[in-house]
Amino acid sequence: MESIELVINKSRFIAYKFELKDLNEVEIVLKNLKTEHKNARHICYAYVYNREVVSEKCSDDKEPKGTAGYPILNVIKKKGLHNILVAVVRYFGGIKLGAGGLTRAYTKACSMVLDE
């Protein structure tokens, strides 16, 4: 597991990268992150898993639709990665970023952790 932290307008974005050996790991990882970051406002994620069949999923976790999960998934796919989960934990800093700001923040956090 690798992670990076990014602060934008007082909101903390902590991105984690996990290599998946089994699709069942996704639920376990997300449960552990929710326990570890119980005061976080959002834990958004996306994964691409490819064994015999390609599975992919993303979640905005109550962020405005399409501003978090899909941008994360898009970065994973553009980099041609598979068997990977990226989760971004957000601690809200009190300043709304707007849809464009959220999309840029989640995209940047995902790109940074994948480039580690």
Side-chain angles (χ1 to χ4, degrees):
M1 168 189 71
E2 295 180 32
S3 68
I4 62 94
E5 184 171 332
L6 175 66
V7 177
I8 298 175
N9 288 342
K10 299 182 183 179
S11 282
R12 286 178 53 214
F13 295 85
I14 307 166
Y16 294 92
K17 174 178 77 172
F18 302 90
E19 292 187 29
L20 298 173
K21 295 181 184 115
D22 187 289
L23 200 51
N24 295 324
E25 291 177 303
V26 172
E27 188 176 322
I28 294 165
V29 167
L30 293 174
K31 183 179 178 183
N32 289 341
L33 285 174
K34 287 176 185 178
T35 300
E36 181 180 345
H37 296 282
K38 56 186 164 211
N39 294 324
R41 179 74 62 93
H42 307 281
I43 300 178
C44 304
Y45 68 90
Y47 66 81
V48 175
Y49 183 77
N50 185 8
R51 287 291 187 243
E52 289 81 35
V53 177
V54 176
S55 298
E56 56 184 52
K57 184 177 179 181
C58 61
S59 170
D60 293 320
D61 190 32
K62 300 178 187 143
E63 289 281 28
K65 185 176 180 172
T67 61
Y70 183 74
I72 296 168
L73 180 61
N74 196 34
V75 172
I76 294 169
K77 290 170 75 171
K78 280 187 176 180
K79 290 185 177 281
L81 303 173
H82 56 88
N83 301 337
I84 193 160
L85 163 69
V86 174
V88 181
V89 176
R90 180 183 182 201
Y91 287 90
F92 182 60
I95 299 171
K96 292 188 177 187
L97 302 179
L102 286 171
T103 299
R104 286 187 296 276
Y106 283 103
T107 297
K108 185 174 183 178
C110 180
S111 292
M112 288 174 66
V113 78
L114 290 176
D115 290 343
E116 277 291 305

